[in-house]
Amino acid sequence: MSASTPPHPVDDSVRAELTRLRESIDNIDAAVVHMLAERFKCTQQVGVLKAEHKLPPADPAREARQIARLRELAESAKLDPAFAEKLLNFIIAEVIRHHETIADGAR
């Protein structure tokens, strides 16, 4: 389709279904953001506790257990386990960065 070709007309029922689905997606996205915010509040507290007790910011054994656990959850939820692992690795990297910042401030 060229830029001058008008888009294919969309049936009103299709447009309504798209709107309904997109509203659900928007609600889910909002819930994900709020859940991540809660998760980071908890991990900030973990970072403070680790800094107070001179524990390392990273815990590779815990991280490996979490990745395995999340992969299993993803499989049971019919979500690509590799995607779930990538997402958790991204989150873990951010958590470790926060823990390092907290530890640096405690010195």
Side-chain angles (χ1 to χ4, degrees):
M1 176 181 345
S2 72
S4 62
T5 305
H8 185 273
V10 179
D11 183 84
D12 286 343
S13 65
V14 172
R15 191 176 310 278
E17 182 68 359
L18 277 172
T19 298
R20 184 190 68 75
L21 289 168
R22 288 174 174 162
E23 287 172 352
S24 290
I25 291 167
D26 292 349
N27 289 338
I28 293 165
D29 288 346
V32 168
V33 167
H34 287 282
M35 292 302 296
L36 282 171
E38 286 302 311
R39 189 185 196 288
F40 277 102
K41 285 178 190 174
C42 291
T43 60
Q44 289 291 100
Q45 293 173 11
V46 168
V48 169
L49 193 60
K50 284 182 172 184
E52 288 172 349
H53 295 276
K54 309 282 191 265
L55 297 170
D59 184 344
R62 160 86 176 154
E63 293 154 20
R65 286 191 308 273
Q66 285 297 94
I67 288 167
R69 180 177 159 272
L70 197 69
R71 286 185 67 94
E72 286 180 18
L73 288 170
E75 285 180 27
S76 68
K78 307 290 188 256
L79 179 68
D80 179 5
F83 170 77
E85 183 173 347
K86 286 178 193 174
L87 178 61
L88 187 59
N89 281 327
F90 179 78
I91 292 169
I92 288 170
E94 186 67 7
V95 168
I96 291 169
R97 190 181 68 76
H98 290 176
H99 289 184
E100 289 169 345
T101 301
I102 292 167
D104 288 346
R107 291 179 196 158

